[in-house]
Amino acid sequence: MDEIRLIDIRDTILSVNGDEAEKVRERLGNDRVFMLNLMSSPGSGKTSIIVETMKRLGDRYRIGVIEGDIDSMVDSEKIVSEGGFAVQLRTGGDCHLDASMVSSALDTMAVSDFDVIFVENIGNLVCPAEFDIGESLKAMILSVPEGDDKILKYPNMFRVCDVLLVNKVDAVEYFDFDFEALESRVRVLNPEMRVFRVSARTGQGLDGWCGYLEEKIEAYRLKTGKL
């Protein structure tokens, strides 16, 4: 009997995606455009956080949004209704965005007309963590109703992200959520991760988040020569 051959396609897929991500990163760098990859579970408040961030930074930066969803255009419509610019990526089943999808979205945009692009990844704490899309910064949202133990169940998402936004803190009195336990686990798993307690509904903590993001954007602009 012939020996069974094992073909590990995961490494191949990630390698090909990594090459495409570097092309996206170079393309954005040439146009000096900062790109944020925002990830989370469904319903954590990604779109609301983007809208509130745009309200605070939109007078300084030209902001575009790439929305990723399995179906529908609801989130893009919300962005546009708030005066923003959005491109919708509808995957039809794929549970994450990859670099080639983002590149396709960029092809439909006049990229140099923007200073910042927010990518709202598909709601999922597993697959999006695996795929580099050429971003300048990775951020994730964990909402209070989801619980403080998600870091134990989905450690890779917390490991790869630069920022954690704990959203819906205005609802904490209704849930058994231990901020200290979460932040202690974060310090062990990813000591460099910045944590912000925020509420898209009340605005709590958003000035701190936006101040941090502005620092990152300005550092990127300085690095790429865009002042």
Side-chain angles (χ1 to χ4, degrees):
M1 182 177 179
D2 292 339
E3 184 176 328
I4 297 173
R5 297 179 63 188
L6 173 64
I7 302 174
D8 190 342
I9 63 171
R10 176 181 180 276
D11 289 345
T12 301
I13 290 171
L14 293 179
S15 176
V16 171
N17 180 76
D19 292 342
E20 186 64 32
E22 285 307 313
K23 294 177 184 177
V24 170
R25 191 167 284 114
E26 181 179 3
R27 176 180 183 178
L28 293 172
N30 289 339
D31 284 321
R32 278 79 173 177
V33 179
F34 180 97
M35 188 165 76
L36 171 72
N37 182 6
L38 185 59
M39 299 172 280
S40 77
S41 297
S44 66
K46 291 189 296 298
T47 309
S48 296
I49 289 291
I50 288 175
V51 167
E52 293 303 317
T53 302
M54 289 172 60
K55 288 178 181 178
R56 288 162 174 78
L57 298 182
D59 61 343
R60 179 157 189 183
Y61 303 112
R62 300 169 297 168
I63 300 173
V65 180
I66 297 174
E67 287 285 348
D69 276 301
I70 291 175
D71 208 343
S72 91
M73 296 181 63
V74 173
D75 293 337
S76 287
E77 290 167 353
K78 182 174 181 179
I79 296 296
V80 172
S81 73
E82 294 287 345
F85 174 92
V87 173
Q88 181 70 52
L89 286 173
R90 185 165 56 192
T91 70
D94 286 351
C95 57
H96 63 274
L97 298 181
D98 63 24
S100 65
M101 296 177 194
V102 172
S103 182
S104 296
L106 294 175
D107 287 343
T108 71
M109 306 167 65
V111 176
S112 60
D113 287 347
F114 298 95
D115 302 308
V116 179
I117 294 175
F118 295 148
V119 178
E120 180 176 341
N121 218 309
I122 293 171
N124 184 344
L125 287 178
V126 183
C127 304
E130 298 275 358
F131 286 82
D132 183 0
I133 61 170
E135 68 280 304
S136 312
L137 189 74
K138 284 183 169 74
M140 67 169 293
I141 300 173
L142 174 70
S143 65
V144 165
E146 295 175 75
D148 56 69
D149 61 350
K150 284 294 183 289
I151 189 171
L152 302 176
K153 299 176 181 180
Y154 307 99
N156 196 42
M157 179 61 77
F158 290 82
R159 187 179 294 115
V160 303
C161 285
D162 305 292
V163 186
L164 168 61
L165 302 176
V166 184
N167 191 26
K168 305 185 182 179
V169 295
D170 53 304
V172 70
E173 63 181 293
Y174 302 107
F175 298 93
D176 184 19
F177 192 98
D178 189 333
F179 287 103
E180 285 68 31
L182 170 66
E183 292 178 12
S184 176
R185 291 164 182 157
V186 166
R187 286 193 293 272
V188 172
L189 184 66
N190 186 353
E192 301 301 316
M193 176 179 256
R194 289 292 303 272
V195 181
F196 295 92
R197 303 181 188 184
V198 304
S199 168
R201 188 177 72 87
T202 68
Q204 179 180 340
L206 290 177
D207 287 343
W209 151 243
C210 289
Y212 166 85
L213 182 57
E214 188 170 359
E215 288 177 5
K216 291 297 183 180
I217 294 170
E218 289 304 311
Y220 178 85
R221 288 157 67 91
L222 182 63
K223 178 182 177 182
T224 57
K226 187 171 188 177
L227 301 175

